[in-house]
Amino acid sequence: MPENAWNDLKHNERDARRRLILDAARDLFAEKDFKSVTVREIAKSAGVSIGTIYNYYDNITELFLDVFLTNAEQITHLIRQEYQTAPPSLPRLCDLYVTFLNDNMTFYQMMGHFMLGGELPPAATDRLNRVMRSLMDRIDDIVKASGISEPARHISHALFSALNGIMISYAGYPGRTAPEIKAHTLRLAGVVADVFHSGLKNN
Amino acid sequence: MPENAWNDLKHNERDARRRLILDAARDLFAEKDFKSVTVREIAKSAGVSIGTIYNYYDNITELFLDVFLTNAEQITHLIRQEYQTAPPSLPRLCDLYVTFLNDNMTFYQMMGHFMLGGELPPAATDRLNRVMRSLMDRIDDIVKASGISEPARHISHALFSALNGIMISYAGYPGRTAPEIKAHTLRLAGVVADVFHSGLKNN
DNA sequence: TCAAAATATTGAACGTTGTTCAAATTGTCA
DNA sequence: TGACAATTTGAACAACGTTCAATATTTTGA
């Protein structure tokens, strides 16, 4: 057996054990605000000790980032899939993305956290940028397919911003139930889609 | 001297001392990320002991909220002023707001923090909502003045979201200087203004 | 098969955080 | 002045992320 194949096997095993910790963390994030989840909780939930977590992650921020990037890849894949099976549609894209955000609270919570405050080490920043750019590319696909003449990248950025802003501005709105928030944010997503759709035709 | 006037005087004195702590905190926020500012730092900077801070604020979150609301009232006032002296203009509003966000990093950092994660006590939530609604009302003024037939409130919400999203999506972009970020976010603000302006005419 | 070397796990301990509260200090009024 | 109230203080506390020497497990080579 060649040595690098053996190393790959070990590498996979290690990745599998890392995923055990990752999944335990994700389960906790489903229950409560991600900022209030502690290393000790994750350790207990994953059935390992505190120290083991630091064997797989340099620090807790990198674990959080791992969860975030997993989600980002998920929505990126979802958009690509949609683009392949149905004709590209701005309203559909907006609905899809905002629906995803509603169903994945921690994703946009972490997005706000990493993009605003994030004191990330350079390597982590690189990973974050790569994944976010990939997501942006998928949005770009649909914007371009909507027949834009002017630089599409700026439009994509603005659209992406608008959709994120919807959640950041209203998702945490107190005294509203989750369905009410979902309804309102999807309504706003519709407004944004309309405005971008008709606003881009006459340029 | 009537007793309530006397009480008012004491009340004002207390408020003045509270402002001393508030200003010390604001000075620190200008230097570094607000999440990394500690109670001990604020105490030292204000020239008081730790305990004194807790005499004026129930907890550090409420101090942060105080700084945030002060900023929110500031931009609200700025918009109202602009609306009174010049003809209402969507592009002007977008530029004004995004410029303010660029010049007040901690404001949108805290906005993200309070609106996403914020485990605020009910009283604080009420204050937050009142001030944010007031800001939204000023945006509503200008949107309405731009001649919208359909429910203006939804448009205002969407516009507000879009502008916030611009900052949240790109303000923390690593490897970019502050002027570069300002230039890019203002460019995106222009796109958003354009899209909303022309997108709303043909509805 | 088995001792040695490598790897993985553990949790007590450390420094720092927000917060509390009894004691000390300062301010107020008869 | 002296007694009472209000304010300030910082040592002490619990909980946090993180470290690391000790322990347990797995892999290696003969």
Side-chain angles (χ1 to χ4, degrees):
Chain A
M1 174 162 18
E3 195 183 312
N4 54 354
W6 177 247
N7 278 348
D8 276 6
L9 209 68
K10 307 259 300 213
H11 191 269
N12 283 346
E13 263 182 48
R14 205 185 147 78
D15 259 21
R17 272 174 295 181
R18 176 202 284 247
R19 183 156 292 275
L20 240 60
I21 294 171
L22 191 102
D23 287 344
R26 281 215 307 191
D27 287 352
L28 286 173
F29 295 155
E31 289 172 23
K32 52 198 291 198
D33 184 278
F34 91 95
K35 273 173 213 176
S36 64
V37 172
T38 70
V39 178
R40 284 166 179 79
E41 277 180 306
I42 297 170
K44 177 168 282 186
S45 175
V48 299
S49 80
I50 303 163
T52 300
I53 290 187
Y54 285 89
N55 192 352
Y56 293 93
Y57 290 98
D58 280 356
N59 49 56
I60 201 192
T61 299
E62 221 128 352
L63 198 169
F64 287 172
L65 184 65
D66 219 11
V67 173
F68 173 71
L69 292 182
T70 301
N71 277 348
E73 278 162 4
Q74 196 181 338
I75 177 61
T76 303
H77 183 69
L78 238 64
I79 293 176
R80 183 189 289 118
Q81 215 167 17
E82 171 76 16
Y83 181 50
Q84 281 170 346
T85 58
S89 149
L90 227 58
R92 190 76 193 86
L93 170 69
C94 295
D95 193 277
L96 193 73
Y97 186 62
V98 171
T99 298
F100 179 81
L101 293 184
N102 269 284
D103 296 341
N104 295 272
M105 297 268 199
T106 48
F107 174 70
Y108 68 78
Q109 277 186 0
M110 285 182 176
M111 181 155 62
H113 178 254
F114 286 126
M115 299 207 138
L116 288 179
E119 297 265 310
L120 289 176
T125 300
D126 281 354
R127 279 185 70 201
L128 177 64
N129 284 342
R130 241 196 326 276
V131 173
M132 293 310 280
R133 188 151 36 227
S134 174
L135 171 57
M136 179 63 70
D137 283 342
R138 297 291 75 70
I139 295 176
D140 228 29
D141 288 341
I142 300 194
V143 167
K144 275 179 192 156
S146 298
I148 311 294
S149 59
E150 61 181 312
R153 199 65 173 185
H154 283 169
I155 306 292
S156 303
H157 279 203
L159 177 62
F160 181 59
S161 299
L163 297 178
N164 288 334
I166 287 175
M167 294 305 289
I168 278 143
S169 304
Y170 299 104
Y173 213 84
R176 299 275 182 282
T177 67
E180 281 171 341
I181 285 172
K182 188 165 186 171
H184 187 226
T185 52
L186 281 176
R187 191 159 41 230
L188 290 180
V191 172
V192 165
D194 274 3
V195 164
F196 270 77
H197 185 73
S198 61
L200 291 175
K201 277 196 177 157
N202 41 343
N203 277 41
Chain B
M1 173 162 22
E3 195 182 311
N4 55 353
W6 177 247
N7 278 348
D8 275 6
L9 209 69
K10 306 261 298 210
H11 193 268
N12 284 346
E13 263 182 48
R14 203 183 150 79
D15 258 21
R17 272 175 296 181
R18 175 201 286 247
R19 183 156 294 273
L20 239 61
I21 294 171
L22 190 102
D23 287 343
R26 281 217 305 193
D27 288 351
L28 286 174
F29 295 154
E31 289 172 24
K32 52 198 288 200
D33 184 279
F34 90 95
K35 273 172 214 179
S36 66
V37 172
T38 69
V39 178
R40 284 165 180 80
E41 276 180 306
I42 297 170
K44 176 168 282 184
S45 176
V48 298
S49 81
I50 303 163
T52 301
I53 291 187
Y54 285 89
N55 193 352
Y56 293 93
Y57 291 97
D58 280 357
N59 49 56
I60 200 191
T61 299
E62 220 127 353
L63 198 169
F64 288 171
L65 185 64
D66 220 10
V67 173
F68 173 71
L69 292 182
T70 301
N71 277 348
E73 279 161 3
Q74 197 181 336
I75 177 62
T76 303
H77 182 68
L78 237 66
I79 293 176
R80 182 188 289 117
Q81 215 167 14
E82 171 75 17
Y83 181 51
Q84 281 171 345
T85 58
S89 147
L90 227 59
R92 190 77 193 86
L93 169 70
C94 294
D95 193 278
L96 192 73
Y97 185 63
V98 171
T99 298
F100 180 82
L101 293 185
N102 269 284
D103 296 341
N104 295 272
M105 296 269 199
T106 49
F107 174 71
Y108 68 77
Q109 276 186 1
M110 287 183 176
M111 180 154 63
H113 178 254
F114 285 126
M115 300 208 137
L116 287 181
E119 297 264 313
L120 289 176
T125 299
D126 282 354
R127 278 184 71 200
L128 176 65
N129 284 342
R130 241 195 325 275
V131 172
M132 292 311 280
R133 189 152 33 228
S134 173
L135 171 57
M136 180 62 69
D137 283 343
R138 299 290 73 73
I139 295 176
D140 228 29
D141 289 342
I142 300 195
V143 168
K144 276 178 191 156
S146 300
I148 311 294
S149 59
E150 61 181 312
R153 198 65 172 185
H154 282 169
I155 306 291
S156 302
H157 278 203
L159 178 62
F160 181 60
S161 299
L163 296 178
N164 288 333
I166 287 175
M167 294 306 287
I168 277 145
S169 304
Y170 299 104
Y173 213 85
R176 298 277 182 279
T177 67
E180 281 171 341
I181 285 173
K182 189 165 186 172
H184 186 225
T185 52
L186 281 176
R187 191 159 42 231
L188 289 181
V191 171
V192 166
D194 274 2
V195 164
F196 270 78
H197 186 72
S198 60
L200 292 175
K201 277 197 176 156
N202 42 342
N203 276 41

